[in-house]
Amino acid sequence: MKPTSYITLLKLVKSSFNRLLNSFPSPVIRYLVIGIIFAVLIRLVCVPNQSSDYKSFLEPWYDFIASHGGFSALKYSFADYTPSYLYWILISATLLSGLPKILAIKLLAMTVDFLCAFFTYKIVRLKYPQGNQPIFAFLAVILSPTVIYNSALWGQCDSIYTTGLIACIYFLSIQKQIPALLSFGVGLSFKLQAMFLAPLLLILLVKNRINWYYLPLIPVVYIISVLPPWFIGREIQELLLIYFSQANKYKELTKGAPNIYQWIPNNFYNIVVPIGLTLTISAIFLLVYIVYKSRLKITQDRLIHLATISVLFMPYILPKMHQRYFYPADILSIIFAFYFPRYLWVAIVVQMASLFSYLGTPIFIQLFSIPLGFTLWFIVCKCDVIYPKLRSELSSNTNSNL
């Protein structure tokens, strides 16, 4: 093709794109369209990247399913992930076998990125019934470097369980307990890290925002998700104990996560892990007790505040965390920034700390654990149901808060 032909083609594409944008009624909608197009393109560019997890786990799982009869392969213990995620690998290796293998595997997580952004939009819309902030929140999620890194570059599925958590928060916000707990159950059926939201659920339980008799919905979702492999021959005990097997797989205090264990040598693993678990459980119950004793109502702002604390505090003080486990905090920090714009820097710190952990530079991961810890301390202190304000201020606002 001659250079003039290239120029003509580019002009044609440009004019068509401009006509498309001009057909939308407002500049914000145009930005939304541009953002979505850019988000899709950058994901497609990133798809060919083969991460170590893809080579060591995802691709071999795909090949195993393809070579062992598709669905019947699920009766074997070839993967340490729950059946919920393996169903997608099954679809990729069968129904989507015509696509490039790496695209088929990454497609679900990349698609769910946009669903996560949608629920983020819905939550921010509760704060701003009018205005463009929810659209900007949507764009902030789909264009977040760690979101792109996780699904498009690494092919990980953290967006899936995190979307379950964000959906759970949305339904809790609109007083829909059953969809909220079902969403949490879906997230938990993909990854145990969905439990990072457990402190919030316990708080809402003791504050009577959640009825205890709906809680069995959470394990019911998981049990339903493991029934198909059990029906075809896999042991039910093994299916129910997958998360216990995962927990014992790596003997590291931290696997690239910017938390307090960056400063403790791994030689102390056997001593520190039980201490860390005890500290975490004690801190959860202390947090729940403090909020329970508070006379303040759990408003929407406080719900978002407590949710952000929950998903940031858990991976920060728990041992054996991976760099990806701050993913829910990445999303909640964006929502937090829209609910409390004066604390925009909180989202910036969380995003940067998480991004550097993905990049894998040990010195930066260790250093960023300090501002991340300060950020956690700051948002805890700013939560009035945990750290009460002066009595005079509380008493002057009693009528509006109770």
Side-chain angles (χ1 to χ4, degrees):
M1 186 179 290
K2 297 181 180 180
T4 53
S5 300
Y6 281 118
I7 294 173
T8 302
L9 179 61
L10 288 174
K11 287 182 177 179
L12 179 62
V13 172
K14 181 180 179 181
S15 62
S16 299
F17 186 67
N18 287 336
R19 283 198 299 271
L20 174 64
L21 293 180
N22 291 332
S23 65
F24 295 105
S26 71
V28 175
I29 301 300
R30 296 173 196 170
Y31 297 146
L32 176 62
V33 172
I34 294 173
I36 292 174
I37 292 173
F38 179 73
V40 171
L41 290 177
I42 196 170
R43 281 165 171 78
L44 293 177
V45 170
C46 293
V47 162
N49 179 71
Q50 297 187 13
S51 66
S52 59
D53 283 344
Y54 172 81
K55 295 177 182 177
S56 302
F57 303 106
L58 303 179
E59 186 178 33
W61 295 349
Y62 178 105
D63 293 338
F64 185 91
I65 290 175
S67 61
H68 285 76
F71 180 74
S72 61
L74 297 180
K75 67 183 178 182
Y76 300 105
S77 304
F78 64 92
D80 63 351
Y81 269 33
T82 60
S84 293
Y85 182 68
L86 296 181
Y87 296 145
W88 173 253
I89 302 296
L90 171 64
I91 293 172
S92 301
T94 54
L95 300 180
L96 301 180
S97 59
L99 294 177
K101 184 189 306 184
I102 194 167
L103 173 60
I105 292 174
K106 291 182 176 183
L107 189 59
L108 175 62
M110 292 192 299
T111 303
V112 175
D113 288 348
F114 292 85
L115 181 60
C116 185
F118 171 74
F119 279 110
T120 299
Y121 167 91
K122 297 287 286 184
I123 293 173
V124 176
R125 177 60 72 192
L126 296 175
K127 176 74 172 181
Y128 305 98
Q130 305 295 327
N132 299 316
Q133 290 91 337
I135 292 177
F136 294 132
F138 177 93
L139 292 173
V141 171
I142 63 173
L143 297 175
S144 167
T146 55
V147 171
I148 295 171
Y149 220 112
N150 190 284
S151 62
L153 271 173
W154 282 7
Q156 289 291 346
C157 61
D158 296 271
S159 65
I160 302 174
Y161 82 86
T162 299
T163 299
L165 301 188
I166 302 302
C168 175
I169 293 169
Y170 169 69
F171 289 121
L172 289 172
S173 300
I174 61 174
Q175 307 288 329
K176 300 291 185 181
Q177 295 184 48
I178 294 177
L181 295 178
L182 289 175
S183 297
F184 181 80
V186 170
L188 187 60
S189 71
F190 278 90
K191 280 285 191 79
L192 181 60
Q193 287 70 42
M195 290 299 292
F196 291 166
L197 197 64
L200 175 68
L201 298 185
L202 286 175
I203 288 170
L204 297 180
L205 182 65
V206 300
K207 297 291 278 188
N208 297 317
R209 281 284 297 271
I210 293 178
N211 296 316
W212 65 267
Y213 47 81
Y214 287 135
L215 293 180
L217 289 172
I218 297 173
V220 164
V221 172
Y222 184 86
I223 292 171
I224 292 174
S225 73
V226 303
L227 289 180
W230 178 54
F231 288 154
I232 62 173
R234 193 170 176 185
E235 292 185 5
I236 189 65
Q237 181 179 0
E238 182 182 324
L239 290 165
L240 295 177
L241 297 178
I242 287 175
Y243 287 140
F244 289 96
S245 301
Q246 288 180 357
N248 295 318
K249 188 169 185 179
Y250 299 102
K251 302 294 184 180
E252 297 176 65
L253 286 175
T254 176
K255 198 172 178 63
N259 59 17
I260 57 176
Y261 300 97
Q262 282 292 330
W263 302 92
I264 303 176
N266 205 61
N267 295 336
F268 298 100
Y269 175 90
N270 291 328
I271 300 174
V272 173
V273 168
I275 294 175
L277 293 175
T278 303
L279 173 66
T280 303
I281 294 171
S282 301
I284 290 172
F285 282 109
L286 177 61
L287 172 64
V288 173
Y289 176 75
I290 291 173
V291 178
Y292 169 71
K293 296 297 289 185
S294 170
R295 297 173 60 204
L296 301 180
K297 182 181 178 181
I298 304 297
T299 61
Q300 179 61 17
D301 282 7
R302 289 176 183 137
L303 177 66
I304 298 303
H305 207 140
L306 290 168
T308 306
I309 291 172
S310 182
V311 298
L312 181 57
F313 134 82
M314 289 285 279
Y316 193 79
I317 68 172
L318 270 172
K320 299 170 69 69
M321 295 292 99
H322 293 209
Q323 67 278 80
R324 308 188 315 274
Y325 295 174
F326 281 94
Y327 192 103
D330 294 346
I331 306 301
L332 259 298
S333 69
I334 292 173
I335 297 173
F336 185 87
F338 280 92
Y339 268 73
F340 309 100
R342 63 187 180 279
Y343 302 142
L344 173 63
W345 63 269
V346 167
I348 295 173
V349 171
V350 173
Q351 296 286 323
M352 289 186 65
S354 189
L355 177 60
F356 274 102
S357 68
Y358 276 78
L359 296 176
T361 309
I363 183 62
F364 287 112
I365 296 173
Q366 190 174 45
L367 289 176
F368 265 101
S369 68
I370 299 174
L372 194 60
F374 170 79
T375 301
L376 173 59
W377 171 83
F378 177 85
I379 63 175
V380 168
C381 290
K382 288 296 180 180
C383 187
D384 58 0
V385 292
I386 299 175
Y387 192 81
K389 300 178 181 179
L390 294 176
R391 287 185 178 274
S392 58
E393 185 177 347
L394 277 175
S395 59
S396 66
N397 293 321
T398 298
N399 292 333
S400 60
N401 288 333
L402 292 180

